[in-house]
Amino acid sequence: MRKVTSLGLLAALTLCGPAIAAEGISYSNVEVAYINAELDDVDVNGDGFGLSASGEFGEYAFGFINYNDIEYDAGVSGSELSIGLGFHWPLTPTLDLVSGVSYEGFEVDVAGFGTAVDESGYGLSVGLRGRAGERVELSASAKYLDFGDDGDDTKLTAGARYYFSENLAAGVEIADQEGITSWLISL
């Protein structure tokens, strides 16, 4: 169901792109987030925080870094790090096609046992980001994650932001990554 919702949002952004009438999209920002996550297969919940920053350079390129730290039930904690380079191409004045390549790392610790998983690899992403009016921005993306011999994964994300001013926004995002569903509320 979540995958269908994400794909539906992608289709909606594509179809309504020419009708969106707002300012351009910025790729320079700093974001702090509260994260609520659930490990679907084992019914374990957790919450934590996320920090992210991106900086635009050149006309169509930007760099980014994302860090998430989540404490789950039963003494399990996890952290994720993503550092990369992204590109955006305007499809309309307010709708961009966005892609990226990134270094991906994650670690899982279990209380009393130490680090249970410590993996790294790369990510490739593609998505859409667009303004739906003066104050609302919508986004949807798909990311392929490759951890070498330890496997690969796909992460689907859909989100929305409301801009209180040009420099301040609050957002909500849902992500689905093979057995992990997370909600993010950001500023």
Side-chain angles (χ1 to χ4, degrees):
M1 177 63 179
R2 288 180 196 96
K3 291 179 183 179
V4 171
T5 302
S6 297
L7 292 174
L9 183 56
L10 274 170
L13 279 171
T14 302
L15 295 174
C16 74
I20 298 173
E23 298 176 23
I25 299 167
S26 174
Y27 289 86
S28 295
N29 65 53
V30 174
E31 194 168 72
V32 177
Y34 165 77
I35 302 169
N36 183 282
E38 181 178 324
L39 303 176
D40 301 330
D41 297 337
V42 291
D43 197 29
V44 173
N45 296 312
D47 61 353
F49 72 93
L51 298 171
S52 64
S54 65
E56 197 166 4
F57 59 91
E59 192 171 354
Y60 300 109
F62 62 96
F64 62 88
I65 182 168
N66 300 315
Y67 175 77
N68 295 332
D69 188 74
I70 302 172
E71 296 287 329
Y72 292 95
D73 301 336
V76 177
S77 64
S79 61
E80 301 173 321
L81 176 66
S82 179
I83 301 172
L85 182 61
F87 302 93
H88 60 95
W89 296 273
L91 299 177
T92 73
T94 56
L95 180 67
D96 284 357
L97 174 66
V98 183
S99 67
V101 60
S102 56
Y103 162 82
E104 301 288 331
F106 75 93
E107 184 176 293
V108 177
D109 293 318
V110 178
F113 295 99
T115 301
V117 177
D118 187 2
E119 299 296 336
S120 62
Y122 69 91
L124 300 172
S125 63
V126 65
L128 293 171
R129 190 170 165 200
R131 296 295 284 258
E134 282 187 39
R135 299 196 179 266
V136 177
E137 181 180 292
L138 302 174
S139 62
S141 66
K143 182 183 250 187
Y144 168 76
L145 302 161
D146 189 317
F147 296 104
D149 293 338
D150 296 312
D152 57 359
D153 207 347
T154 302
K155 182 176 186 177
L156 299 175
T157 306
R161 287 189 177 95
Y162 179 82
Y163 284 81
F164 299 102
S165 70
E166 183 178 338
N167 296 316
L168 181 63
V172 63
E173 184 177 283
I174 184 171
D176 181 54
Q177 180 179 338
E178 288 194 34
I180 302 172
T181 303
S182 60
W183 287 90
L184 181 142
I185 300 171
S186 64
L187 185 65

